[in-house]
Amino acid sequence: MLRILDARTGEPVDAALARRGLVRVHASPPGSGFTSLRVLLVADVLMRALEIGGNPAWATLTSAPDPAETPDPAETEDRTAPGSRDASWGEAGLRARAAELGIRPFEDHRDTEPGPEATRTIDVVAQGAEATAGPRVEVARVDTGHGSADVPGDSTALRLALLARRRDLPLSLDTEVLAEAEDTLRRWRAAVAGWATRPSKPIPEDVRLRLRAAWEDDLDVPAVLDVLRSVETSGIPEGARFETYAHADRLLGLELTREIGASL
């Protein structure tokens, strides 16, 4: 069962209170830059993990304030720290960029109350956000260095770059980080396309357990990525490597099977 670290108490709690019970995942982006995009992405992956475990998830959002009217302290810090600046796109721009990253749409909080009855609400917020009544997942800020890093042509590389570091640690999003994410995606997609031509084999049980242990232990996405790296160069049959990557991508949302059949 998925357990998350409740940032209010520092103690792990079950993400769902009942098997197959509806869990509301409520995102509160602090503004409309990369830090806010990271908040939405963490919420998206949390919902994916819940659904893999059999719990439906309901995505809601407290609309980001207009940065021109209500500057957010976290976003302001990103822009004014020495040598750093975060982007600001406005709410419509934030939602558009979230869609480009494969993040599902969020219902506006004001339009969905009272809505369906959830067994639990989990708030996903930026570090330093106002207190919440229930369990909360905190997300550290994104620093784009000397101005906003250029987003790759394949926006999924930005998704990978934002996922590759633990969510509670600040992330420096620069050209080198994005280039590394692009290279990794290119290599993995090519490998998956090749493995797809081999006879299918089941995921080895130890690999399946490592993947599940990683994402059920406080949604440790970097550990999931580490499992994929180890499988990539392992002696596991190629058909099993394909199934492993396809299975993990249900959580990651990186379109790892996208190149299958592309050369045909």
Side-chain angles (χ1 to χ4, degrees):
M1 176 178 291
L2 174 63
R3 290 174 65 80
I4 59 169
L5 189 68
D6 184 354
R8 299 174 308 155
T9 65
E11 298 293 331
V13 297
D14 291 338
L17 294 178
R19 182 174 175 79
R20 303 199 181 282
L22 175 66
V23 179
R24 178 186 179 198
V25 177
H26 183 68
S28 297
S32 56
F34 284 106
T35 300
S36 294
L37 191 61
R38 194 183 191 191
V39 168
L40 297 186
L41 179 56
V42 170
D44 179 72
V45 176
L46 174 57
M47 287 184 289
R48 288 169 177 261
L50 285 163
E51 291 169 349
I52 290 172
N55 287 94
W58 174 34
T60 63
L61 172 74
T62 294
S63 300
D66 184 338
E69 298 178 1
T70 314
D72 174 77
E75 299 284 322
T76 301
E77 180 181 357
D78 284 348
R79 291 192 296 270
T80 60
S84 70
R85 188 182 67 191
D86 195 4
S88 183
W89 313 300
E91 183 182 342
L94 176 63
R95 288 181 182 268
R97 282 160 177 77
E100 290 172 1
L101 265 62
I103 297 172
R104 71 186 64 194
F106 290 78
E107 296 182 37
D108 191 276
H109 175 60
R110 292 165 299 185
D111 295 337
T112 55
E113 290 188 327
E117 183 175 351
T119 61
R120 161 156 275 174
T121 293
I122 300 175
D123 289 285
V124 183
V125 301
Q127 288 178 347
E130 294 182 0
T132 55
R136 62 189 270 151
V137 171
E138 291 189 348
V139 181
R141 70 184 182 89
V142 177
D143 181 1
T144 56
H146 296 281
S148 301
D150 292 332
V151 176
D154 180 358
S155 58
T156 316
L158 175 57
R159 182 180 178 104
L160 175 56
L162 291 171
L163 289 175
R165 188 166 173 82
R166 277 178 36 181
R167 65 173 184 270
D168 60 335
L169 297 177
L171 170 66
S172 294
L173 191 64
D174 55 26
T175 302
E176 182 178 350
V177 169
L178 290 170
E180 180 180 355
E182 281 190 292
D183 289 344
T184 298
L185 270 184
R186 190 179 301 112
R187 187 179 74 250
W188 282 357
R189 285 172 175 166
V192 168
W195 299 335
T197 65
R198 303 292 189 259
S200 178
K201 299 286 184 181
I203 301 172
E205 188 61 18
D206 65 316
V207 173
R208 185 185 296 276
L209 290 175
R210 287 167 60 200
L211 285 172
R212 184 165 292 275
W215 75 55
E216 289 188 347
D217 181 13
D218 196 31
L219 205 64
D220 191 348
V221 175
V224 173
L225 295 172
D226 285 342
V227 173
L228 294 187
R229 293 186 187 98
S230 69
V231 168
E232 181 182 8
T233 56
S234 70
I236 295 172
E238 293 183 345
R241 281 186 256 177
F242 167 78
E243 297 294 346
T244 299
Y245 273 62
H247 177 63
D249 205 35
R250 294 176 60 195
L251 176 83
L252 300 172
L254 297 175
E255 301 179 352
L256 296 179
T257 61
R258 195 174 75 181
E259 300 301 321
I260 294 176
S263 60
L264 298 180

